[in-house]
Amino acid sequence: MSAVHVIGAGMTQFKPHPTVEVHELARQAAWAAIESSGVRPEDIELAYAGHAYQGQCFGQKVLLKIGMTGMPVVNCENACASGASAVWGVVNAIKAGQADIGIAIGAEKLASAKGGFTPLVADDLESSMGRVMPSVFSMMARKHMDRYGTTLDQLARIAVKNRRGGVRNPYSPWRDEITVEDVLAAPMIAEPLTRLSCCPVSDGAAAVILASDRVARRYTARPVEVRAAILASGIRNGVGMADDHSEMTIRAARRAYEVAGIGPEEVDLCELHDPFTIAELVHYEDLGFCAPGEGGRGVDEGWFDIGGRVAVSPSGGLLARGHPLGATGVAQIAEMFWQLRGEAGERQVLGARVGLAHTVGGGVTQIEAGATSVHILVG
C-alpha cells in the first residue's frame, strides 16, 4: 500500500458568515488547497466531502463551482467527525490504489440570527428529550472534578491558552486575549461551564489535497506524511458521553500509535476535540499525554503550552476558532500541514515533526458517541 501525503491545504476564516452560502465557503477552501498544492483540478481523481447538516450531494455542488465534475464523490456525515471521516476516506482510497490524488473537503454553516445550540437529533431518544452538548460536558466536568480534584481555575486556564493561540491565528476571528477571571465571570451556560468555556458558534470550510507516495514529490519537496488514519465508533455503555474519559478515543489512539510506530511522548503538537474546556483536559489523558487525573496538574505546569511537553491546540482549537462541525476535522489536518512545514506564523511550534489530530462526534443514546478519529502526521 502506498504511503499518503498532504501536499496542499486551504481554509476560510471560522466565524459567522451571514452573507456567504456554505457551498461558496467550501469552494474557497478547496480552491485555496488546490492552488497551494500546484495540482491541476483535472488531475484530482476523487473527493470526499464532510458535513453534518448541508443537504444532499454537498460535495458535487461544491466541486461544480470549480468546474470539477464526473469524478467519484463521497459525502460523509459523521457529526463532529465528518471532516475527519472525509480525510480518512481519501487516505484509504489512495492506499488501496484507487487514486493518486484526492481532495478532502469539510464545511458547515451553523451561525444564524436566532443563535442557539446545534440542532437536536429528533430520532435519537436522549436528543429528543432535550440533551444538548453543554449539559453532557458539564456532567463530564463534574465527574472529573469529583474523581481527581480538577479545579475551575485549571479548566479556565485551558480557555485562556487556546484564546492566546486564536489571537495569533488569522483563521480565528478573535483579536483579544482573555484571563482566568474573564472565563469564570462569564455567563453560566451549564454549570460549571461558562460561555468562555464553550466553543463559539461559527461557519467555515477547510480542504486538503492528498497524494500517493508515487506522485507527491512532483508537487512539493516537503510533503507531510499521514502515518496513521484511524476511525472508530463508540461501544454501548451506561452513561453515553458523560464520563471522565473517552474509551473510544483511548482505543483509537492506541491503534494509531501502533500503526504509526510512534508513542505519545514523540508527539510535538496536537489539535484535539476541544468544544469545551473539560473535553480538552480529558483528552490529554485519553491520548496518553499524561496519566488519568494528571490533566489539571499538566495545565498548571504548562505541559500543553507551546514549548511544553506537547503543544495542544496551538491554532486556538475549537474554543477559539469555533466548531463548524464538518469543517473541523479537515481544518485540523490543514493546521498540521502548516505546522509541520514551519508555515504557521506566530503560532508556530518550533521544530515540530510529529502531529496528532483528533475528533469525536455524535451523541447516540446507549453508546459513548458516534465516531472518533485519530490521524498522526509526520513532517
Side-chain angles (χ1 to χ4, degrees), residues 59-377:
Q60 289 89 336
K61 293 173 182 175
V62 173
L63 294 172
L64 177 61
K65 285 176 165 284
I66 303 174
M68 297 170 62
T69 60
M71 70 175 70
V73 179
V74 180
N75 292 288
C76 301
E77 185 284 301
N78 236 350
C80 307
S82 297
S85 297
V87 174
W88 178 86
V90 176
V91 168
N92 281 284
I94 292 174
K95 280 184 175 291
Q98 296 175 354
D100 278 316
I101 303 174
I103 185 170
I105 304 166
E108 208 80 57
K109 282 204 74 166
L110 292 177
S112 72
K114 296 180 180 179
F117 300 125
T118 299
L120 297 177
V121 181
D123 62 357
D124 180 77
L125 177 61
E126 291 181 358
S127 289
S128 69
M129 297 172 69
R131 176 194 58 200
V132 291
M133 288 297 111
S135 64
V136 171
F137 285 90
S138 72
M139 289 186 282
M140 179 186 290
R142 276 297 168 202
K143 282 193 171 186
H144 204 279
M145 294 167 76
D146 290 347
R147 183 171 185 182
Y148 296 115
T150 305
T151 68
L152 293 175
D153 275 14
Q154 289 167 342
L155 294 177
R157 287 192 184 99
I158 294 171
V160 172
K161 171 184 72 69
N162 290 12
R163 176 64 73 86
R164 188 184 311 126
V167 167
R168 289 157 176 75
N169 184 354
Y171 297 101
S172 165
W174 305 108
R175 293 296 169 260
D176 297 317
E177 297 195 20
I178 56 176
T179 66
V180 168
E181 292 72 25
D182 292 333
V183 178
L184 297 178
M188 189 64 66
I189 300 299
E191 198 277 333
L193 302 176
T194 68
R195 186 167 62 197
L196 291 176
S197 307
C198 310
C199 63
V201 178
S202 65
D203 310 323
V208 293
I209 308 295
L210 297 118
S212 69
D213 198 49
R214 189 170 71 88
V215 306
R217 292 187 186 276
R218 295 180 192 173
Y219 298 98
T220 177
R222 300 167 62 198
V224 172
E225 183 183 356
V226 182
R227 189 69 62 84
I230 303 299
L231 187 65
S233 59
I235 61 174
R236 184 185 293 269
N237 65 22
V239 296
M241 297 178 73
D243 212 341
D244 57 19
H245 66 284
S246 168
E247 182 278 334
M248 61 194 289
T249 294
I250 294 168
R251 176 163 36 96
R254 286 175 177 169
R255 179 61 179 154
Y257 291 134
E258 178 184 357
V259 169
I262 287 169
E265 69 283 353
E266 298 174 78
V267 175
D268 299 307
L269 72 145
C270 173
E271 292 285 327
L272 52 68
H273 194 68
D274 64 325
F276 302 89
T277 50
I278 184 60
E280 176 162 323
L281 188 143
V282 165
H283 296 318
Y284 296 152
E285 301 168 5
D286 297 334
L287 295 169
F289 299 145
C290 63
E294 286 191 342
R297 174 189 169 197
V299 171
D300 288 338
E301 298 185 9
W303 295 353
F304 313 112
D305 294 350
I306 293 178
R309 289 186 180 181
V310 52
V312 177
S313 303
S315 72
L318 285 62
L319 283 166
R321 257 200 340 252
H323 182 27
L325 307 186
T328 290
V330 186
Q332 291 178 336
I333 301 299
E335 179 71 15
M336 293 289 124
F337 175 69
W338 293 320
Q339 286 278 359
L340 295 175
R341 285 163 55 103
E343 298 172 352
E346 293 181 30
R347 65 191 187 282
Q348 179 66 49
V349 178
L350 296 179
R353 177 180 170 273
V354 178
L356 184 150
H358 159 260
T359 60
V360 176
V364 182
T365 301
Q366 294 188 332
I367 69 174
E368 181 192 330
T372 191
S373 69
V374 176
H375 289 84
I376 294 177
L377 288 81

Side-chain angles (χ1 to χ4, degrees), residues 41-65:
E42 57 266 34
D43 292 335
I44 298 173
E45 299 164 276
L46 59 83
Y48 277 63
H51 70 93
Y53 296 109
Q54 306 310 314
Q56 294 182 354
C57 298
F58 173 75
Q60 289 89 336
K61 293 173 182 175
V62 173
L63 294 172
L64 177 61
K65 285 176 165 284

